[in-house]
Amino acid sequence: MNASTAAGWQPDPLLTIDDVAAWLGKPKNTLYAWHSRGKGPRAIRVGNTLRYRRTEIERWLDAHTDPER
């Protein structure tokens, strides 16, 4: 990574389970169930909590979007 790239780089925000539940319109318990079953968007365990990268949520949504007709 060169100096100009490093200066413009921003980390991908980590979203809480509350953020993701509100975004997807799903209960938190559904997200916890998906995580325990290896389904749903990939999450990161930080201590006792789950965090989600915004890009992972968008990637998961893209993968589950109905094909164009």
Side-chain angles (χ1 to χ4, degrees), residues 16-39:
T16 66
I17 196 158
D18 291 320
D19 296 332
V20 177
W23 185 0
L24 299 179
K26 293 289 186 185
K28 290 190 311 186
N29 286 342
T30 298
L31 295 175
Y32 285 124
W34 286 350
H35 182 71
S36 69
R37 293 181 184 124
K39 299 184 181 280

Side-chain angles (χ1 to χ4, degrees):
M1 188 180 299
N2 62 34
S4 63
T5 305
W9 181 82
Q10 292 291 320
D12 196 11
L14 293 178
L15 305 173
T16 66
I17 196 158
D18 291 320
D19 296 332
V20 177
W23 185 0
L24 299 179
K26 293 289 186 185
K28 290 190 311 186
N29 286 342
T30 298
L31 295 175
Y32 285 124
W34 286 350
H35 182 71
S36 69
R37 293 181 184 124
K39 299 184 181 280
R42 293 189 330 164
I44 303 164
R45 183 155 301 278
V46 179
N48 292 335
T49 62
L50 293 178
R51 294 289 187 262
Y52 295 84
R53 287 187 180 102
R54 181 188 48 78
T55 53
E56 285 295 332
I57 304 300
E58 291 173 344
R59 182 177 299 129
W60 183 81
L61 288 170
D62 287 344
H64 290 85
T65 300
D66 288 340
E68 291 184 38
R69 295 177 200 215

